[in-house]
Amino acid sequence: MIEVGTQIPPFIVESVPTEPMKTMAFVLRDPNPIHWDESVVRSLGLGEKVINQGPTNQAYIINALINWLGDSTALRSMHVRFRGNVYAEERVEAGGEVTAVDLDASLATCDVWLDGPNGRVISGVAVVVIGS
Amino acid sequence: MSDIVSIQILEAELLGLEFPPGEFTIAEWEHWLCADAIGSPPLPDDVAHPMYAYYTAIIGMHPSLDEIFAYAHSSADAGVMFGEAGLEFHQTLRVGATYRVEGGFTKVVRKESSRLGIMDLVTVELRMFSEDGELAAVSSNTFVYPRGAA
């Protein structure tokens, strides 16, 4: 049963890989070299390793929601704030908690997040259909 | 004398600017690659991963990401980052379907941080319409443009 306080089971990436960053850069025509060139990351003072795309980090949270609900069509809205970078080879854990349930509308509102080794890197709110 | 573009110029140039409409088809092979890259759980055959509300918007829009950076007087190698992102679903996005993408700049805010100096937060809202003309999804993205020291 989904109720206020229900925890969304975590989606864990044990070591963020670099190759998918290149795939996403190419598919999205994303020309930002911080996703594939460590020397640019260093020259900008942003760290020592390449930086995962923000939307990929957001996707980890959506993966947690899909696994939790067993339904990839349940997401109605999501708003997130990117609070930090995720670097190659870091361990990240996406999760969330139900904060409100509207049984008439069959909707649940959830705080969602992505945590890295140095704390929270994404926080936000998602609304999902429940009981469909 | 700072050569950082003024917030007044940015507002005048960006706010209200609508992009030419674009179009994007969620090709099966491309969806496979993206789903693999983001570690997606298994999905039903014709259902696109929800992040495709962002991917469809970004790939389908005119201008490109690089041109978005240039509109706001910056470039990809200046360290532009994501600040916030919103997704809103009115339909399930389908693999194989074609979506029309419309949108433009909706907000420009200048802030100052001790670490990054002056930075501009520029929001782009992109709306996706299915082949029957119905609104399918909205993707709202705020990019952070570091401008350096004041």
Side-chain angles (χ1 to χ4, degrees):
Chain A
M1 180 176 175
I2 293 173
E3 56 192 4
V4 172
T6 297
Q7 298 290 310
I8 298 169
F11 179 88
I12 298 169
V13 179
E14 291 292 349
S15 176
V16 171
T18 57
E19 292 306 314
M21 298 185 206
K22 299 172 188 173
T23 301
M24 295 310 298
F26 186 72
V27 170
L28 294 173
R29 304 292 185 267
D30 179 354
N32 196 334
I34 63 172
H35 304 308
W36 68 80
D37 188 342
E38 287 180 353
S39 68
V40 172
V41 179
R42 282 195 291 271
S43 70
L44 291 168
L46 294 174
E48 296 297 320
K49 293 185 175 174
V50 289
I51 297 171
N52 208 21
Q53 279 95 348
T56 300
N57 299 334
Q58 185 181 357
Y60 298 154
I61 297 173
I62 295 178
N63 291 345
L65 293 170
I66 293 173
N67 283 338
W68 173 47
L69 296 166
D71 183 355
S72 55
T73 68
L75 184 61
R76 286 293 167 271
S77 67
M78 183 180 208
H79 187 274
V80 296
R81 177 168 293 181
F82 298 92
R83 302 166 54 159
N85 290 325
V86 170
Y87 293 89
E89 300 171 13
E90 286 186 342
R91 180 187 189 275
V92 293
E93 183 170 322
E97 178 179 346
V98 176
T99 58
V101 175
D102 182 340
L103 290 175
D104 292 335
S106 298
L107 294 174
T109 303
C110 313
D111 283 344
V112 293
W113 57 75
L114 183 73
D115 290 339
N118 298 308
R120 191 139 293 177
V121 286
I122 294 182
S123 59
V125 175
V127 176
V128 297
V129 175
I130 54 175
S132 57
Chain B
M1 184 77 173
S2 170
D3 59 359
I4 297 171
V5 61
S6 77
I7 185 67
Q8 291 81 10
I9 288 176
L10 278 179
E11 288 174 342
E13 290 181 352
L14 301 183
L15 293 181
L17 180 68
E18 282 280 315
F19 305 140
E23 194 174 88
F24 181 69
T25 300
I26 303 177
E28 189 176 354
W29 68 270
E30 206 166 17
H31 181 263
W32 192 100
L33 283 175
C34 285
D36 183 65
I38 61 179
S40 172
L43 301 170
D45 276 349
D46 66 336
V47 173
H49 190 282
M51 270 314 293
Y52 255 85
Y54 168 78
Y55 301 142
T56 297
I58 290 295
I59 304 171
M61 75 172 176
H62 297 294
S64 66
L65 264 181
D66 210 17
E67 290 164 331
I68 287 283
F69 300 158
Y71 264 118
H73 296 255
S74 190
S75 62
D77 57 7
V80 179
M81 295 172 287
F82 253 111
E84 295 183 28
L87 299 173
E88 184 184 303
F89 295 89
H90 298 268
Q91 298 177 7
T92 298
L93 300 183
R94 301 284 174 184
V95 177
T98 298
Y99 296 91
R100 190 177 83 253
V101 182
E102 299 179 356
F105 297 102
T106 57
K107 195 174 177 185
V108 180
V109 175
R110 175 154 291 177
K111 290 188 174 179
E112 216 168 322
S113 125
S114 54
R115 190 167 66 92
L116 294 174
I118 293 175
M119 53 189 178
D120 292 321
L121 281 58
V122 178
T123 302
V124 175
E125 184 183 281
L126 299 162
R127 303 173 294 278
M128 285 145 276
F129 297 88
S130 56
E131 290 164 61
D132 60 7
E134 295 294 316
L135 180 65
V138 180
S139 170
S140 178
N141 303 286
T142 300
F143 297 97
V144 179
Y145 293 73
R147 304 294 191 187

